Amino acid sequence: MTTSPLAELSAHAASLLARIDEVTTLAELTQQEPHIVGKRSILSALQKSLGGLAPEERKAAGAQLQEVRRRIDEAFAARRGVLEALARAQALEADRLDLGDVVVTQVRVPLAAGHPGIVAATQRQLEDVFVAMGFVVADGPEVESDWYNFEALNIPPAHPARGMWDTFYVDLGEPETVVLRTHTSPTQIHLMERAVLEGALPIHSVMPGRCYRRDTPDARHLAAFHQIEGLVVDRGIAFADLAGVIETFTHAYFGPDISSRLRPAYFPFTEPSAEFEITCTICRGQGCRTCSQTGWIELGGCGMLDPAVLEAVGVDGDEWSGFAFGFGIDRCAQMRHQIADMRALIDNDVRFLRQFS
Ligand code: DAH
């Protein structure tokens, strides 16, 4: 009688299971795979040897071998699972250490502190200049009704002057009744209304803030931009007071060699109205491409309050008179820092922003 090739099967199984248990890394497991469950394993050799058995014996031995194979495969797969989980945990640990490294780096080289953007900084400087001249800073809403943005400013519906402001409408209430303010002038209306209600005239205020127009952005325009509005309502105010405020502001903000001039213009809410220009800061008045060789750059508009506006807010025009002005904050920043293209203000390119820290 020949000994069955499977006589030592359980001993082989025990040794294979022990080998599986001894493997401690995925790489080692992969390397051992052919010897434990693959073609080079003792189980494959035994499988081949079954060929020499009588059919009856072969069937029984085959079943026995199959069962052992199943157990070994199972143990092998389980070990792979454990080692994979271990490898993942180790990778996470390595990542955690990486993060730790970054933190340590930041402690050694602190991140630079942020600073106000050029537009915000310009707004503050402009406020400071006007506060020093005796003005109070006020603000108003960016979403306005048609009445505040246009009608109370003597711009009735369908008035041709509406073409001066390409308007974004807000989808609220009746069509075209709610707008993103196209200028800071509606804040004048809020201030005068409140002052009348509270008996708090006179007014000497400036009102900075964001405005919106349906303009295609270019080197000198943005669709969302900033203006600062000025309003004086007092007794005996004359055009000369307006001109004096503009000139004082221009010297204080741009420097003694930059002056202002007023040129006749039209705005529905002021009468007379003027455009206010300053010496071109690029060529200092010599004439260049930026100022179209005139030596002057337009900054904003101004004028004496139109009686229709005083009436709309209930200010007694026999007792009070006043002036207003409004100009672009972004334009001031552009002029003072000689920024060729205003779109740089909204690009958020740190190489640009860092120059103004
Ligand atoms: N709101 C005008 C604009 O954005 C500028 C302006 C002109 C403001 C005359 C005023 C003013 O207060 O009196 O085009």
Side-chain angles (χ1 to χ4, degrees):
M1 196 184 133
T2 51
T3 21
S4 156
L6 299 190
E8 307 276 330
L9 185 60
S10 46
H12 288 314
S15 119
L16 286 174
L17 289 174
R19 256 172 99 170
I20 291 173
D21 270 353
E22 276 161 22
V23 176
T24 54
T25 67
L26 271 179
E28 203 186 328
L29 192 74
T30 306
Q31 188 234 324
Q32 294 277 339
E33 191 168 2
H35 306 284
I36 299 176
V37 291
K39 290 216 171 67
R40 289 157 189 244
S41 85
I42 179 77
L43 298 183
S44 294
L46 291 175
Q47 182 79 41
K48 278 182 200 138
S49 69
L50 295 187
L53 294 179
E56 271 313 294
E57 269 181 304
R58 197 191 313 149
K59 199 171 168 202
Q64 221 182 330
L65 190 58
Q66 204 56 35
E67 171 57 23
V68 170
R69 246 183 201 282
R70 198 191 52 73
R71 272 172 48 211
I72 302 295
D73 281 350
E74 223 173 68
F76 191 88
R79 190 71 189 150
R80 193 200 295 279
V82 167
L83 293 177
E84 276 172 357
L86 199 68
R88 266 198 305 276
Q90 278 165 351
L92 280 178
E93 179 71 4
D95 269 0
R96 199 182 68 81
L97 288 179
D98 269 351
L99 272 179
D101 254 11
V102 171
V103 171
V104 170
T105 309
Q106 285 183 350
V107 171
R108 274 189 272 122
V109 186
L111 286 175
H115 59 85
I118 178 64
V119 176
T122 303
Q123 177 174 324
R124 281 184 207 175
Q125 290 156 2
L126 294 172
E127 288 173 9
D128 285 350
V129 169
F130 283 110
V131 166
M133 291 166 69
F135 287 81
V136 175
V137 180
D139 63 6
E142 290 178 22
V143 177
E144 287 285 14
S145 66
D146 183 89
W147 194 78
Y148 282 100
N149 197 80
F150 291 120
E151 251 185 276
L153 288 162
N154 197 29
I155 318 166
H159 190 284
R162 287 210 177 195
M164 293 166 79
W165 299 276
D166 271 333
T167 308
F168 282 117
Y169 290 95
V170 179
D171 190 6
L172 211 74
E174 290 288 303
E176 304 200 353
T177 54
V178 181
V179 306
L180 293 184
R181 68 176 175 192
T182 58
H183 47 183
T184 40
S185 300
T187 311
Q188 291 181 29
I189 303 297
H190 289 287
L191 286 199
M192 285 189 280
E193 274 185 340
R194 203 176 316 148
V196 167
L197 262 176
E198 295 171 358
L201 289 169
I203 297 171
H204 303 87
S205 292
V206 286
M207 299 141 261
R210 199 194 303 262
C211 308
Y212 305 84
R213 284 186 204 171
R214 283 180 55 184
D215 279 337
T216 306
D218 64 24
R220 280 156 48 86
H221 298 91
L222 298 173
F225 57 101
H226 302 77
Q227 283 190 339
I228 184 162
E229 190 83 9
L231 174 69
V232 168
V233 182
D234 208 334
R235 294 185 177 90
I237 296 293
F239 197 90
D241 299 309
L242 166 59
V245 163
I246 299 280
E247 179 74 353
T248 306
F249 155 76
T250 302
H251 287 318
Y253 182 72
F254 290 101
D257 56 334
I258 303 292
S259 348
S260 65
R261 72 174 185 184
L262 301 179
R263 299 206 316 159
Y266 170 75
F267 295 102
F269 29 93
T270 40
E271 181 58 36
S273 301
E275 242 157 37
F276 123 52
E277 299 183 336
I278 60 163
T279 317
C280 176
T281 56
I282 312 289
C283 63
R284 307 261 140 187
Q286 298 307 300
C288 67
R289 268 179 43 211
T290 306
C291 61
S292 311
Q293 311 303 331
T294 62
W296 296 93
I297 289 277
E298 187 203 326
L299 209 60
C302 58
M304 303 305 290
L305 295 179
D306 193 291
V309 174
L310 295 180
E311 196 184 316
V313 292
V315 169
D316 177 359
D318 289 334
E319 185 179 357
W320 305 97
S321 59
F323 63 77
F325 57 85
F327 56 89
I329 295 176
D330 318 74
R331 185 65 61 80
C332 280
Q334 181 175 36
M335 283 296 113
R336 177 137 149 189
H337 300 285
Q338 288 153 25
I339 299 166
D341 193 319
M342 203 181 259
R343 286 168 290 192
L345 298 176
I346 53 171
D347 280 346
N348 277 342
D349 183 329
V350 288
R351 291 165 300 182
F352 173 79
L353 299 175
R354 261 196 216 121
Q355 302 176 82
F356 307 103
S357 61

